[in-house]
Amino acid sequence: MTVQTANDILKRNNVQVIGQGEKTLVFGHGFGCDQEVWDNTIVEFSADYRIVTFDYVGAGKSDKAAYSTERYSTLDGYKQDLLEVCTALELEEILFVGHSVSAMIGMLASIERPELMEKMIMIGPSPYYLNEPGYNGGFEQSDIDELLDMMEINYKEWAKYLAPVVMQNEERPELAADFEQLLCSNDPTIARQFAEVTFTSDLRDQLDKVTIPTLILQPKFDAIVPLEIGQYLRDHISGSQLVVMEAMGHNPHLSDSEETVKRIKAYLVE
C-alpha cells in the first residue's frame, strides 16, 4: 500500500487555506457540491479566522483517480478524508461547519477524535432520510429508489428536476439554474454512489456519542430535511442548540449567505 504524504492528501482533496487568525474554520460541502459553494460565506470570516476548504474525493477538483467504490461505500470513507486533511495540516481544536451529509461526516470525525473539534455547526443535517413509524425522515424507500434510478438513466434530467426542489426560492430562478450546473459538473457514477450512501445511512445511534458543542441550523422550509429532524437532533445531541433560519431551501449558504454568516458568527462568539 502506498503511504500518502501530507502533500499528497492536500492535493488529493484540493485543499485551500486562506485568511488569518488563531482559530481555524473548516468547511465541509454537501452531496453534489464542492468547496466553491462556500465562496460567499468564507469571505466574511477570512479577516478573523484561518479558513480551510476542500473537496471530498470524487467532487470538484479533487483527484478522481483516488476514488474507490470500496472506501466510499459508507460515510466512513469521507470521514477519513476529513481526518486526513486535518492531520496533514496539523489542525487542532477546529471550528467545523458541515452542510447536509457533511454535518454527519463531521459528527463521525468528532466522535472518533473529540479533541480535534472545539465546536461544530451543522447546516441542514439529517441522521436518516427514511420515514419510519414515529420518525419523519422525509422520504419513503420508493422515493429514494426512484431518485437513484433517475440518476442512472438520465443524470442531467435528474439534476434539472432536483435543483429547484433543493433550492426553493422560486422568485430567484438563477439559484436553481446555478445549482443544476453544479450538479451536472459531477461524475454521474460517483454522484450516484454518494447519493446512495447519503440517503441510506442511518446514524441515529451515533448522536448520543457527540461530546462537543453543536449548533444545528435548520432552514424554515427544506424539501430534503423536515423541520422535525432539526428538533430530533437537538433532542439527541447533548448540549446542542437548534436555530430555525428565515432562509428557505436546503442550501441557505447559497440562497442567503448573509443570514448563514450571521448565525455562525453569533454562535462562534458565545
Side-chain angles (χ1 to χ4, degrees):
M1 192 174 86
T2 308
V3 176
Q4 291 199 306
T5 66
N7 281 339
D8 290 337
I9 290 162
L10 300 181
K11 186 178 177 184
R12 180 193 72 189
N13 289 94
N14 185 32
V15 177
Q16 307 295 321
V17 183
I18 64 164
Q20 52 210 343
E22 289 180 21
K23 297 280 186 189
T24 300
L25 264 168
V26 178
F27 288 83
H29 65 81
F31 161 74
C33 302
D34 59 37
Q35 63 182 288
E36 291 183 10
V37 295
W38 297 115
D39 286 356
N40 291 335
T41 306
I42 59 177
V43 70
E44 300 296 329
F45 293 95
S46 57
D48 302 306
Y49 296 90
R50 187 181 181 214
I51 309 290
V52 175
T53 56
F54 65 98
D55 296 325
Y56 289 110
V57 169
K61 296 185 176 73
S62 66
D63 178 8
K64 308 289 196 304
Y67 186 82
S68 141
T69 53
E70 186 180 2
R71 174 172 168 131
Y72 299 103
S73 63
T74 71
L75 292 181
D76 283 341
Y78 296 97
K79 173 199 69 179
Q80 207 55 41
D81 275 12
L82 173 58
L83 291 175
E84 287 174 7
V85 165
C86 291
T87 300
L89 291 172
E90 299 180 350
L91 300 180
E92 296 175 347
E93 297 184 340
I94 65 169
L95 307 160
F96 181 74
V97 181
H99 170 240
S100 195
V101 68
S102 214
M104 295 295 106
I105 293 166
M107 180 187 80
L108 292 174
S110 82
I111 292 168
E112 184 167 324
R113 286 187 54 198
E115 79 289 349
L116 177 64
M117 295 187 193
E118 184 181 314
K119 285 183 175 180
M120 180 163 53
I121 294 147
M122 300 176 161
I123 302 175
S126 174
Y128 188 50
Y129 290 89
L130 290 173
N131 297 327
E132 281 188 359
Y135 178 84
N136 179 23
F139 293 86
E140 297 296 338
Q141 183 64 55
S142 57
D143 299 328
I144 303 299
D145 293 341
E146 199 175 315
L147 179 142
L148 295 173
D149 286 347
M150 196 173 175
M151 289 182 80
E152 207 164 310
I153 294 163
N154 192 329
Y155 185 83
K156 288 190 174 178
E157 276 303 308
W158 165 82
K160 189 174 185 176
Y161 158 77
L162 189 70
V165 174
V166 168
M167 293 305 303
Q168 297 297 311
N169 293 278
E170 290 85 354
E171 73 287 358
R172 296 161 67 198
E174 69 278 5
L175 290 173
D178 289 348
F179 191 61
E180 180 186 342
Q181 196 173 353
L182 178 58
L183 290 173
C184 286
S185 69
N186 285 277
D187 176 298
T189 305
I190 294 175
R192 190 200 175 284
Q193 183 171 357
F194 195 10
E196 187 166 0
V197 171
T198 297
F199 284 111
T200 59
S201 295
D202 185 354
L203 299 176
R204 289 174 294 177
D205 64 347
Q206 300 295 306
L207 302 178
D208 63 354
K209 298 176 184 174
V210 178
T211 58
I212 60 169
T214 302
L215 173 66
I216 301 149
L217 289 178
Q218 173 80 35
K220 68 179 177 184
F221 178 77
D222 181 346
I224 307 298
V225 181
L227 188 57
E228 296 98 309
I229 293 297
Q231 296 159 344
Y232 182 91
L233 286 165
R234 178 198 60 204
D235 294 344
H236 289 80
I237 296 178
S238 178
S240 64
Q241 296 179 32
L242 170 64
V243 171
V244 178
M245 303 175 72
E246 286 302 311
M248 300 275 283
H250 189 57
N251 296 337
H253 50 308
L254 292 174
S255 60
D256 195 338
S257 60
E258 192 176 330
E259 185 189 3
T260 305
V261 167
K262 184 178 80 172
R263 302 290 191 186
I264 294 172
K265 281 187 173 179
Y267 186 66
L268 292 181
V269 299
E270 273 185 13

